[in-house]
């Protein structure tokens, strides 16, 4: 190994949470003299971590919460001196809208998959409850390493009502997809592991998988958020990473000796010893095609969904149930797929009631083609149907996330392995389409990518 005669230069393409964590980790690893340039054409950095003022209150209008039992976000907040900004929920639970009425969220399920028949009573019909109760008596043909769609396994063992009324509402909230298109290993990895270990039934596998899921260490809330919104985290990462922001997109990357040349959308050329590409999956193929055609081909196979979010600030005292929100079963007549009662979930501040209504699922064009006015009208209709209210909002906002929700289909892990295998050592990828949706997975993704290219440049 030769001794580098100058500090390394890095380029990070994409300024979402994955790219910002990458830049921060590179700064920590390479020191103050390293050159780090971040490319992103947006009006602000943070990607789907976007914080706005609505009704005089701070509201996250993209990603809202993180799983508190995963260590990545709490550890990062502590590292940045922000541990005191982590907050938990009030403890109220969501409802499910199925069969034209509201139901309590079943207890003791895993992504909506029940561990016992009693938990589904009232949500599904009597024959389905009996089918769940009888599942352990039926042989389970499971092949170790299999990765079926969630609906294929759960529908076969527990019936279609469990899929539509219990599993689909949760997967729609996480992926904007459905149990028919999401793979078991990506969405419920602990369940797949239990089946691989020889669980004799799906019921036994769910019980085994849920037995180790206790509350997050030292806290009672399953979900966490940042007091002041994710903007607090984004701003601190930007400050500490100390990168130069090129407010332009990258068109393609080409090899240049032992480094790389980035051609941006304005025709400019930038050099880097190593590059991390932290853009959504649909943008990756055009950037890497010149030097990594197999990576580009794999990325094209990752489907995406688009969503639209309506955030409302209703007058204080508007009668809303003491629940964190409503998840909507598939094939119901509501327009929204999920509603978060933000003031109930996180605690009320000020004299408004904050709500978030999410629209759009994989396969539809709702987020692209529906006007703001129509979305706001749909939101009002859904609130009237669900809660019998039609208040006049004090403030509102419509936020669209186009092609922002990657779909983790069956075989996703193998597809990602192919994608990464086509890249040279000094180029890495990061993002929510790789190893998991959600802020913790994106933090882990950026950390992994930064470590990979830091090691590769040190070895040159």
């Amino acid at each position: 190994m030769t001794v580098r005669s100058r500090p390394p230069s890095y380029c990070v393409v994409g300024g979402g949470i994955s790219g910002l964590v990458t830049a921060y980790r590179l700064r920590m690893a390479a020191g103050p003299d390293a050159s780090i340039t971040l490319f992103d054409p947006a009006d602000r950095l943070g990607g789907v971590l976007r914080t706005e003022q609505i009704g005089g209150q701070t509201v996250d209008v993209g990603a809202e919460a993180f799983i508190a039992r995963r260590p990545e976000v709490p550890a990062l907040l502590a590292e940045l001196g922000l541990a005191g900004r982590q907050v938990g929920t009030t403890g109220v639970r969501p409802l499910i809208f199925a069969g034209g009425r509201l139901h309590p969220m079943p207890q003791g399920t895993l992504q909506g998959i029940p561990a016992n028949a009693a938990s589904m009573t009232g949500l599904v019909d009597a024959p389905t409850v009996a089918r769940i109760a009888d599942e352990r008596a039926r042989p389970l043909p499971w092949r170790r390493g299999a990765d079926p769609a969630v609906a294929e396994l759960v529908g076969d063992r527990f019936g279609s009502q469990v899929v539509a009324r219990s599993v689909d509402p949760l997967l729609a909230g996480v992926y904007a997809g459905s149990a028919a298109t999401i793979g078991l290993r990506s969405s419920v990895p602990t369940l797949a592991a239990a089946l691989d270990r020889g669980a004799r039934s799906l019921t036994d596998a769910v019980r085994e998988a849920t037995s180790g899921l206790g509350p997050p260490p030292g806290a009672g809330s399953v979900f966490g958020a940042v007091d002041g919104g994710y903007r607090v985290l984004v701003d601190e990462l930007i400050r500490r990473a100390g990168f130069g922001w090129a407010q332009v997109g990258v068109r393609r990357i080409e090899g240049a000796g032992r480094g790389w040349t980035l051609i941006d959308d304005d025709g400019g050329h930038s050099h880097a010893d190593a590059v991390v590409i932290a853009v959504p999956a649909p943008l990756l193929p055009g950037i890497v095609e010149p030097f990594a055609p197999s990576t580009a081909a794999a990325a094209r196979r990752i489907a995406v969904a688009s969503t639209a979010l309506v955030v409302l600030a209703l007058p204080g005292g508007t009668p809303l149930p003491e629940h964190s929100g409503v998840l909507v079963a598939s094939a119901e007549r509501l327009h929204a797929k999920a509603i978060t009662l933000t003031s109930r979930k996180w605690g009320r501040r000020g004299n408004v009631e904050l709500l978030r209504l999410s629209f759009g699922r994989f396969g539809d064009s709702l987020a692209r083609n529906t006007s703001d006015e129509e979305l706001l009208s749909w939101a009002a209709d859904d609130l009237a149907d669900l809660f019998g209210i039609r208040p006049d909002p004090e403030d509102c906002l419509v936020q669209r996330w186009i092609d922002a929700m990657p779909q983790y289909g069956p075989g996703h892990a193998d597809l990602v392995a192919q994608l990464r295998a086509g890249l040279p050592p000094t180029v890495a990828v990061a993002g929510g389409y790789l190893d998991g949706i959600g802020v913790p997975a994106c933090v882990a993704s950026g950390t992994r990518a930064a470590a990979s290219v830091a090691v590769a440049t040190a070895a040159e």
Side-chain angles (χ1 to χ4, degrees), residues 311-398:
V311 185
L312 302 176
L314 304 183
T318 299
L320 295 169
E322 289 296 329
H323 292 273
S324 62
V326 179
L327 301 175
V328 181
S330 54
E332 292 295 327
R333 57 185 171 80
L334 291 185
H335 299 287
K337 68 175 187 291
I339 300 173
T340 302
L341 303 178
T342 303
S343 297
R344 298 289 193 261
K345 183 174 181 178
W346 300 106
R348 182 171 157 187
R349 296 183 179 184
N351 193 32
V352 292
E353 301 285 352
L354 295 170
L355 298 85
R356 297 170 23 128
L357 295 93
S358 180
F359 300 85
R361 299 173 187 260
F362 175 63
D364 68 33
S365 58
L366 185 155
R368 292 181 183 274
N369 298 332
T370 309
S371 68
D372 288 3
E373 292 73 19
E374 191 167 11
L375 286 170
L376 288 166
S377 176
W378 285 356
D381 290 344
D382 284 354
L383 293 180
D385 288 342
L386 283 171
F387 308 131
I389 61 171
R390 196 176 283 274
D392 185 20
E394 296 188 3
D395 198 2
C396 63
L397 178 143
V398 176

Side-chain angles (χ1 to χ4, degrees), residues 127-379:
T128 300
V129 172
R131 181 172 180 169
I132 300 168
D134 193 49
E135 191 266 338
R136 298 181 74 194
R138 290 184 280 126
L140 174 65
W142 177 257
R143 177 177 56 83
R144 182 181 174 86
D147 189 17
V150 176
E152 180 183 342
L153 176 65
V154 177
D156 175 64
R157 305 302 294 181
F158 292 152
S160 60
Q161 283 193 9
V162 173
V163 174
R165 298 184 178 188
S166 186
V167 180
D168 262 348
L170 277 81
L171 294 184
V174 175
Y175 298 95
S178 74
T181 59
I182 302 300
L184 184 76
R185 290 191 178 274
S186 295
S187 59
V188 205
T190 55
L191 180 61
L195 291 166
D196 283 347
R197 286 193 295 267
R200 298 177 63 86
S201 68
L202 182 57
T203 301
D204 290 341
V206 174
R207 291 175 180 175
E208 180 181 334
T210 55
S211 64
L213 295 180
S221 178
V222 173
F223 297 103
V226 180
D227 184 21
Y230 273 124
R231 170 54 57 185
V232 173
L233 173 59
V234 167
D235 287 346
E236 189 63 15
L237 285 170
I238 293 171
R239 186 182 75 83
R240 297 216 185 194
F243 52 76
W245 178 15
Q247 200 169 359
V248 65
V250 170
R251 186 179 305 166
R252 69 183 185 276
I253 299 173
E254 298 176 349
R258 302 181 76 178
W260 302 94
T261 295
L262 289 79
I263 297 94
D264 64 45
D265 289 341
D266 293 339
H269 289 61
S270 303
H271 175 81
D273 296 314
V275 181
V276 173
I277 308 167
V279 299
L283 298 180
L284 183 62
I287 295 174
V288 303
E289 186 82 59
F291 65 91
S294 63
T295 295
R300 290 189 181 98
R301 293 171 56 195
I302 299 175
V304 293
S306 300
T307 61
L309 188 74
V310 172
V311 185
L312 302 176
L314 304 183
T318 299
L320 295 169
E322 289 296 329
H323 292 273
S324 62
V326 179
L327 301 175
V328 181
S330 54
E332 292 295 327
R333 57 185 171 80
L334 291 185
H335 299 287
K337 68 175 187 291
I339 300 173
T340 302
L341 303 178
T342 303
S343 297
R344 298 289 193 261
K345 183 174 181 178
W346 300 106
R348 182 171 157 187
R349 296 183 179 184
N351 193 32
V352 292
E353 301 285 352
L354 295 170
L355 298 85
R356 297 170 23 128
L357 295 93
S358 180
F359 300 85
R361 299 173 187 260
F362 175 63
D364 68 33
S365 58
L366 185 155
R368 292 181 183 274
N369 298 332
T370 309
S371 68
D372 288 3
E373 292 73 19
E374 191 167 11
L375 286 170
L376 288 166
S377 176
W378 285 356

Side-chain angles (χ1 to χ4, degrees), residues 37-64:
T37 304
L38 185 143
F39 291 80
D40 195 304
D43 62 341
R44 69 181 88 176
L45 298 176
V48 297
L49 301 194
R50 191 176 184 99
T51 307
E52 300 284 1
Q53 288 287 316
I54 303 171
Q57 301 300 310
T58 299
V59 185
D60 281 314
V61 299
E64 177 210 28

